[in-house]
Every structure is written in structure tokens, then in C-alpha cells.
């Protein structure tokens, strides 16, 4: 798997250059690591290079871009052509990184010296490649994988747990902001540029902001929206597919994965593509019927795997140390992913992730309110209200009433950051009431965006996972082609009432690919889930759950309420109604915490 470590020293800190040289010398002894950049104030190393990842040197060796770049005007341009263009022009440094955002897209982190001499780091708008930073003796270490820092640079002590960050994670189920669950470890946000000398500051410069694109509505009455969406999605999927010789496509049978599979259809990419579908007993957990239709339509091989109901949760104790705890429920198929990828020789796993947000699969009346804010009272409002009523499953009068109420609101609509929690302590609730720093700014800042478009922007604030903290290097590379910058920008510009015209979620995306996906999937309204599988899994691992939680570190630290946990795991919590999802979240956080605390104990 592709990872990187960058070392940059701060001018104002005495002895920082000596500390940096010591760390550089250490990394230079690691055979698996190559030095991609050596500059008077920064050195960049990477490892695990694969067909989809490269190092692109910048003009006069003033920086390097790590990951994968595509040219806007020619997505299939070779790596050599892109590298030649970057080395021949000073556009990246001269523009402070904006040239990357305007002329390229991809999965990358860029390091460069700006014209004023500052060393800066820029994370791409998709946030596909992780980017964290910590400081040590005046040296800023920017990295993608914490285990590398702790294994390769023993001079750097393991960071301590941030009680506030961990409490916020337990309350919200995520940390989407700059803060992490480890003290002194900061996340660089999507589209954010951070100066190395100011990496400890609470905010960097956000050069790419989803909200700004959401304010730039495209022509609202054009008949070409579906064609434009189909073109940009096909172009981005094809560009990613050309990076790999063999691809494993995670095919659920939903609209999004079927669209991606249609772009990967036989003859449309030189890569060998194999589809993989997971199923388990339950009303919404077996989508094989739809997956088979999608694979047959694209003329792709389909492998079907049953989810393992006997999975032993003890395995999650072998979790990698990461700045933010992990949701292991999304990684229960890690071993099967690895085995299947090895079987077909695939180095990447493609998914349809991102379609819910981008194509707007949100069953709410919001598009009517968006129409009223955009276009005011007019003949089209009734049609928009009818569509929104179908989408939100309310009456048309309710849709109109809600839209009018929203039109005259004086404050932005509140964001529900606090899902129902029954296991956490009062301290966790109190901490979650002040989440600034641990939550993406777009979730907290006032906004004049229409309510539906604001919800879309907020859902894109959560960075997708890239590394598998359990399979580690064995896992195929994660690729979510729908979360490519050109697709994101187009969908953000499209009003929600166009994305859902006719009262259907993903309406425009369905129309764009109607001739490419099976009719049963085009008309499908249901959505797959794994709720019943999670319930079965917890029931089979109750003894382990009791052991790890009741006598665990979260209870000892006072972040979980032991009485509430005991009740939830007793089978007698009819009044408390703790979801299995919350229990799985707590188990994952406990496993992560034990792993982090063990690494800080003296050996």
C-alpha cells in the first residue's frame, strides 16, 4: 500500500534542522522507502508505489506531488506527460497550489515551497489520501499512516490519547475536523493548504470549498444535465481504470455500483474487472438478484460471498494505530477482500461510494425549499413541491408549507450532530456539545445555502477511508471513482430539484445511465443494508463484548457508563433500546484505545 512521510523544519525553532537531519538519516536507512524530494527545508519519502501512485517532481525541485494526478483536459494523459508539464512550469508554486486544483484532479498530497519561501502542504479535494501532521523538536512530520512514523522513526514518542477527541468520537461516531483522537496530531482537511511553520494553528487556508461550488448553479432549464453527468462520470471512472491491470469491483446491485460497473463494462477499459458481491440473510441484506443483473449487463464476472455470521470479534484487537478510531463493521469482509483480490490478481477495489451524497439519495422535502430559494414563487414551484413530496413521503401541502417556512428562516437550519447514544457518560455528552476543532467547519458555520444543498455539502465533509487497519498491506487499494473532483464539482452545481426531478432519489443519475444499467436497477427504490447481520454478529460475540467493554479502558476513564453497558448487553434493555451499531462503535473504540495505550507503555 502507498504511504508517505514528509519532514519539514520550522525556521523559528532552534535545533530543528539538526533534529530533522537525524530523522532524515534514519529514513534513508529504510530500504523500502525512497526519497522523493530533498529541499533545504523539507524531505519527502514514500513507499509501496503501485501502478495507481507516483511521485511527480515540481519545477526546479521546489516540491513534489504524491499520489495520482489526471489532467483536466485529457484525463488519460500518461504519467510522463503530466510529470513533464509539472517540471517545466512553476505554476504550482507561483499560484500557491491553486493550479493543481484548477488544471488537475486525482488522489494526492502536494508539498511545495511557495514564492514567499514558506513550505506548504495541500490535500486534494477528494481527501482520498490521508494527511495528518505532528510536531517533534521543531520538525513537522506529515504522514498518511501513523504506524510508519512509529515504526520507522523510533525517536518520535507515541502520541497520547486526546480525551476530548475520543469523547467526541464516541458521541458523534466520527471526527471530521482538524482535531484527532491523539494529542498533537492534526488532520489536513480536503482542499486545505497548510504552512509547515503554522501547522499547529487551528486553521489553514481552504483553497477548495464545496460550498462555493454549491453556490454556482448551472443553467437550471438545460436539457443537457444528464448528458453532462454521464460524460464526467464515465471519464473519471475510465481514467481510474487505466491505472490498474486488474480491478475488483464491489458490486452491491444498487444504482451507484451499477453505474460504475457499466463504465467498467467489457471492452471499455483495458483492465480485467471482476465483480464481488456480499450477502447475508435478511430483508435488505441479500442483493444478489440485482448484482447478477448488473454484472451480466456489463459482461463482467461476478463472485458471490456470504458474510461470515461466525466472525470472531477478538480479531479486531489486532488493529493498526491510527489518529482516529476505526469503524470495524465496514471491514468485516477484509479477509475475503484480500483472498478474492489475490485470486484474480487485482491490486485495486473500486466501489460506488459517494453516490448517496452526490446524486442526492436523501428522502426529504428539501428540494422544494431549494427551488423556492433559487427561483421564488412561480409556475414551477408546484411541480417542485410534488416531486419533493414524493421524495420526502409527505403531502404536497406539507412540502409547500415546509418550503415557505424555510424561505423565511433567519438562521441556518441546525445540523443534527448528535445521534442517539445510551452507553456514553454525561462527560461525553458535555464534550460533544462543544465539538469545534473535531468537526468539519461546514457542519458548524452559518450558511446561506438552500437547505437541501447544504445537506449535500455537509455529507461530503466526511473523508472516505483509504487504508484497511486490519488487512494493512495485504488489502487491495481502495478507489471510489464517484468521489473524483470533476464529478463532485458538477453535482454540487446542480440544484437538488434537478438531481431529484420526478420525486426520485438519484433521478438525474438514473436518467444519465438508463441505457447502461438494467431496468430493474433503474426502477429500484429499495436500498441494501446490513443491520440484521450486525445484530446477529453481536449476539454471537456477547461474551467478548461484555469482557472488553465492562472491564475496559473506556469504562475506567469514565467515558462509558458501566451500568448502561451492562444493561445493554444483558438482553433486558427494552426501555434503553441500545442499537447494536452503538455497541459495535464502542467495541471498536475500546480495541483502538487498548492498542494505543499499550504502545505508550515502556518496554
Amino acid at each position: 500500500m502507498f504511504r508517505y512521510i514528509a519532514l519539514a523544519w520550522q525556521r523559528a525553532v532552534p535545533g530543528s534542522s539538526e533534529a530533522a537531519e537525524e530523522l532524515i538519516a534514519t529514513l534513508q536507512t529504510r530500504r523500502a522507502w525512497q526519497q522523493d524530494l530533498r529541499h533545504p527545508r523539507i524531505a519527502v519519502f514514500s513507499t509501496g508505489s503501485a501502478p495507481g501512485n507516483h511521485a511527480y517532481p515540481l519545477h526546479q525541485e521546489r516540491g513534489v506531488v504524491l499520489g495520482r494526478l489526471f489532467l483536466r483536459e485529457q484525463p488519460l494523459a500518461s504519467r510522463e506527460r503530466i510529470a513533464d508539464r509539472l517540471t517545466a512550469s512553476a505554476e504550482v508554486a507561483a499560484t500557491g497550489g491553486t493550479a493543481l486544483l484548477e488544471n488537475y484532479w486525482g488522489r494526492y498530497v502536494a508539498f511545495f515551497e511557495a514564492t514567499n519561501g514558506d513550505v506548504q502542504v495541500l490535500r486534494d479535494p477528494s481527501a482520498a489520501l490521508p494527511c495528518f501532521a505532528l510536531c517533534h523538536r521543531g520538525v513537522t512530520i506529515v504522514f498518511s499512516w501513523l504506524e510508519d512514523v512509529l515504526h520507522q522513526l523510533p525517536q518520535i514518542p507515541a502520541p497520547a490519547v486526546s480525551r476530548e477527541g475520543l469523547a467526541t468520537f464516541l458521541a458523534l461516531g466520527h471526527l471530521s475536523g482538524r482535531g484527532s483522537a491523539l494529542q498533537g496530531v492534526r488532520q489536513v482537511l480536503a482542499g486545505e493548504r497548510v504552512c509547515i511553520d503554522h501547522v499547529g494553528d487551528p486553521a489553514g487556508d481552504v483553497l477548495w470549498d464545496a460550498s462555493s461550488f454549491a453556490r454556482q448553479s448551472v443553467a437550471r432549464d438545460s436539457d443537457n444535465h444528464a448528458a453532462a453527468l454521464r460524460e464526467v462520470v464515465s471519464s473519471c471512472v475510465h481514467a481510474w481504470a487505466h491505472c490498474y491491470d486488474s480491478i475488483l469491483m464491489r458490486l452491491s446491485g444498487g444504482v451507484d455500483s451499477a453505474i460504475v460497473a457499466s463504465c467498467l463494462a467489457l471492452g471499455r477499459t483495458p483492465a480485467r474487472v471482476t465483480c464481488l458481491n456480499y450477502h447475508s440473510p435478511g430483508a435488505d441484506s441479500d442483493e444478489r438478484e440485482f448484482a447478477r443483473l448488473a454484472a451480466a449487463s456489463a459482461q463482467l464476472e461476478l463472485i458471490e460471498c456470504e458474510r461470515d455470521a461466525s466472525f470472531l470479534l477478538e480479531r479486531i484487537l489486532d488493529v493498526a494505530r491510527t489518529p482516529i478510531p476505526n469503524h470495524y463493521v465496514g471491514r468485516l469482509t477484509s479477509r475475503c477482500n484480500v483472498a478474492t483480490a489475490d485470486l484474480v490478481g487485482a491490486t485495486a477495489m473500486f466501489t460506488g461510494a459517494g453516490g448517496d451524497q452526490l446524486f442526492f439519495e436523501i428522502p426529504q422535502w428539501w428540494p422544494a425549499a431549494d427551488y423556492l430559494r433559487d427561483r421564488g414563487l412561480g409556475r414551477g414551484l408546484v411541480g417542485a413541491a410534488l416531486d419533493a413530496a414524493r421524495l420526502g413521503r409527505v403531502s404536497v401541502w406539507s412540502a409547500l408549507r415546509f418550503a415557505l417556512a424555510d424561505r423565511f428562516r433567519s438562521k441556518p437550519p441546525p445540523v443534527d450532530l448528535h445521534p442517539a447514544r445510551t452507553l456514553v457518560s454525561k462527560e461525553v455528552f458535555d464534550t460533544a456539545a462543544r465539538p469545534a476543532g473535531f468537526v468539519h467547519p461546514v457542519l458548524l458555520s452559518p450558511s446561506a445555502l438552500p437547505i437541501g444543498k447544504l445537506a449535500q455539502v455537509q455529507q461530503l465533509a466526511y473523508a472516505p477511508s483509504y487504508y484497511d487497519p486490519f488487512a494493512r498491506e495485504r488489502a487491495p487499494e481502495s478507489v471510489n471513482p464517484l468521489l473524483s473532483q470533476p464529478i463532485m464539482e458538477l453535482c454540487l452545481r446542480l440544484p437538488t430539484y434537478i438531481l431529484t426531478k420526478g420525486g426520485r432519489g438519484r433521478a438525474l443519475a438514473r436518467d444519465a445511465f438508463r441505457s447502461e444499467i438494467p431496468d430493474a436497477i433503474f426502477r429500484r427504490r429499495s436500498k441494501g443494508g446490513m443491520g440484521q447481520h450486525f445484530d446477529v454478529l453481536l449476539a454471537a460475540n456477547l461474551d467478548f463484548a461484555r469482557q472488553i467493554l465492562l472491564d475496559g479502558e473506556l469504562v475506567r476513564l469514565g467515558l462509558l457508563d458501566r451500568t448502561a453497558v451492562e444493561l445493554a448487553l444483558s438482553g433486558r434493555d427494552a426501555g434503553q433500546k441500545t442499537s447494536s451499531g452503538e455497541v459495535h462503535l464502542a467495541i471498536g473504540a475500546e480495541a483502538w484505545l487498548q492498542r494505543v495505550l499499550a504502545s505508550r507503555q515502556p518496554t
Side-chain angles (χ1 to χ4, degrees):
M1 66 186 191
F2 181 74
R3 292 108 64 203
Y4 66 85
I5 297 175
L7 308 168
W9 38 107
Q10 302 175 36
R11 289 173 292 197
V13 179
S16 61
S17 60
E18 291 81 1
E21 290 297 338
E22 179 184 333
L23 295 173
I24 291 170
T26 300
L27 279 177
Q28 287 174 335
T29 66
R30 310 306 190 196
R31 292 185 178 180
W33 289 77
Q34 66 179 33
Q35 185 168 294
D36 299 309
L37 175 69
R38 180 60 196 268
H39 186 271
R41 288 186 57 218
I42 185 170
V44 178
F45 296 80
S46 67
T47 189
S49 292
N53 298 288
H54 302 287
Y56 302 84
L58 298 182
H59 182 62
Q60 295 181 345
E61 298 184 344
R62 293 180 62 181
V64 66
V65 182
L66 299 178
R68 179 67 199 197
L69 283 178
F70 303 99
L71 274 172
R72 290 262 189 177
E73 69 270 21
Q74 190 183 352
L76 297 183
S78 67
R79 184 260 176 192
E80 290 73 22
R81 180 183 171 186
I82 295 173
D84 289 345
R85 174 169 169 171
L86 287 170
T87 55
S89 169
E91 58 181 345
V92 173
T95 62
T98 58
L100 278 174
L101 303 173
E102 294 170 356
N103 302 325
Y104 305 83
W105 61 274
R107 174 187 60 221
Y108 63 85
V109 174
F111 301 91
F112 58 92
E113 181 190 31
T115 53
N116 65 357
D118 286 343
V119 175
Q120 300 179 331
V121 55
L122 170 65
R123 189 179 184 187
D124 90 83
S126 74
L129 197 58
C131 187
F132 295 94
L134 60 83
C135 294
H136 171 73
R137 294 173 56 193
V139 181
T140 298
I141 299 96
V142 184
F143 59 93
S144 59
W145 184 240
L146 180 61
E147 292 280 7
D148 286 330
V149 177
L150 301 180
H151 284 152
Q152 308 301 332
L153 299 172
Q155 305 96 320
I156 298 176
V161 173
S162 165
R163 186 183 182 95
E164 186 180 7
L166 182 55
T168 306
F169 175 84
L170 287 170
L172 308 185
H174 60 80
L175 294 180
S176 57
R178 297 179 175 94
S180 78
L182 296 177
Q183 293 180 20
V185 178
R186 179 211 202 275
Q187 181 172 205
V188 179
L189 301 182
E192 184 179 28
R193 180 186 64 195
V194 177
C195 177
I196 294 297
D197 283 341
H198 307 113
V199 74
D201 290 355
D205 298 319
V206 178
L207 302 186
W208 188 97
D209 177 16
S211 299
S212 66
F213 290 93
R215 299 186 191 100
Q216 304 169 20
S217 291
V218 298
R220 289 170 271 197
D221 296 318
S222 172
D223 294 328
N224 297 322
H225 296 316
L229 183 59
R230 176 173 172 171
E231 180 181 355
V232 71
V233 169
S234 299
S235 175
C236 289
V237 175
H238 291 158
W240 280 116
H242 275 72
C243 298
Y244 306 95
D245 295 326
S246 183
I247 294 168
L248 197 59
M249 172 67 211
R250 183 77 175 261
L251 184 61
S252 68
V255 173
D256 303 326
S257 62
I259 286 174
V260 176
S262 74
C263 296
L264 298 172
L266 185 66
R268 294 187 175 176
T269 170
R272 177 190 176 190
V273 181
T274 307
C275 298
L276 176 63
N277 173 265
Y278 287 103
H279 62 91
S280 53
D284 61 352
S285 302
D286 189 345
E287 301 177 89
R288 282 177 290 177
E289 173 189 355
F290 296 106
R292 290 166 183 170
L293 288 172
S297 176
Q299 300 181 63
L300 299 175
E301 178 188 357
L302 175 64
I303 296 175
E304 298 172 358
C305 290
E306 184 171 4
R307 298 185 181 99
D308 185 3
S310 62
F311 183 92
L312 298 177
L313 287 183
E314 286 93 334
R315 296 173 186 162
I316 70 164
L317 294 174
D318 183 27
V319 62
R321 293 167 292 183
T322 53
I324 298 173
N326 302 279
H327 291 274
Y328 65 79
V329 292
R331 300 293 186 181
L332 294 175
T333 58
S334 287
R335 292 199 304 171
C336 189
N337 291 344
V338 171
T340 308
D342 289 345
L343 178 68
V344 300
T347 55
M349 174 174 278
F350 281 39
T351 79
D356 280 3
Q357 309 95 298
L358 293 169
F359 301 151
F360 211 83
E361 184 64 52
I362 305 175
Q364 292 287 349
W365 49 267
W366 297 334
D370 288 12
Y371 186 98
L372 184 59
R373 278 190 170 263
D374 277 358
R375 310 186 68 170
L377 296 169
R379 290 180 301 174
L381 178 59
V382 174
L386 283 168
D387 289 348
R390 294 189 192 101
L391 183 70
R393 296 168 189 160
V394 298
S395 71
V396 66
W397 304 114
S398 294
L400 282 169
R401 178 165 54 86
F402 294 151
L404 286 167
D406 179 77
R407 178 65 184 85
F408 296 105
R409 62 176 162 85
S410 58
K411 297 181 180 179
V415 179
D416 182 16
L417 291 174
H418 309 289
R421 293 282 186 258
T422 63
L423 304 183
V424 298
S425 65
K426 182 179 182 299
E427 177 191 342
V428 171
F429 282 116
D430 292 342
T431 300
R434 307 180 301 275
F438 297 102
V439 172
H440 196 288
V442 76
L443 298 172
L444 300 174
S445 303
S447 173
L449 286 172
I451 185 171
K453 188 54 65 172
L454 177 60
Q456 183 187 39
V457 168
Q458 290 170 340
Q459 289 193 11
L460 286 170
Y462 304 100
S465 60
Y466 181 67
Y467 298 120
D468 186 326
F470 302 102
R472 297 175 170 85
E473 291 92 343
R474 295 170 294 147
E477 187 168 51
S478 176
V479 181
N480 305 306
L482 295 182
L483 288 170
S484 296
Q485 184 181 342
I487 302 175
M488 294 166 63
E489 291 173 354
L490 175 61
C491 290
L492 285 166
R493 288 188 176 111
L494 290 167
T496 59
Y497 47 86
I498 288 178
L499 290 169
T500 59
K501 192 171 180 62
R504 297 174 303 162
R506 300 180 175 88
L508 187 67
R510 294 173 194 264
D511 290 342
F513 287 89
R514 182 165 192 170
S515 63
E516 303 296 325
I517 62 177
D519 187 65
I521 296 177
F522 170 81
R523 299 183 182 282
R524 185 181 179 188
R525 293 275 185 167
S526 62
K527 184 175 177 60
M530 293 192 294
Q532 185 170 335
H533 178 64
F534 296 155
D535 293 344
V536 170
L537 191 66
L538 180 58
N541 287 272
L542 268 180
D543 289 343
F544 173 74
R546 294 188 184 103
Q547 175 188 343
I548 192 172
L549 291 181
L550 292 177
D551 300 316
E553 295 294 333
L554 291 173
V555 165
R556 184 183 67 80
L557 292 173
L559 298 178
L560 287 186
D561 183 326
R562 193 180 194 281
T563 301
V565 173
E566 192 168 21
L567 179 62
L569 299 179
S570 68
R572 296 179 285 101
D573 71 332
Q576 183 171 304
K577 294 182 179 178
T578 301
S579 69
S580 63
E582 183 180 1
V583 178
H584 285 301
L585 177 77
I587 292 173
E590 177 67 34
W592 173 89
L593 179 58
Q594 290 185 16
R595 182 80 172 87
V596 170
L597 292 178
S599 68
R600 287 183 51 79
Q601 295 176 357
T603 56

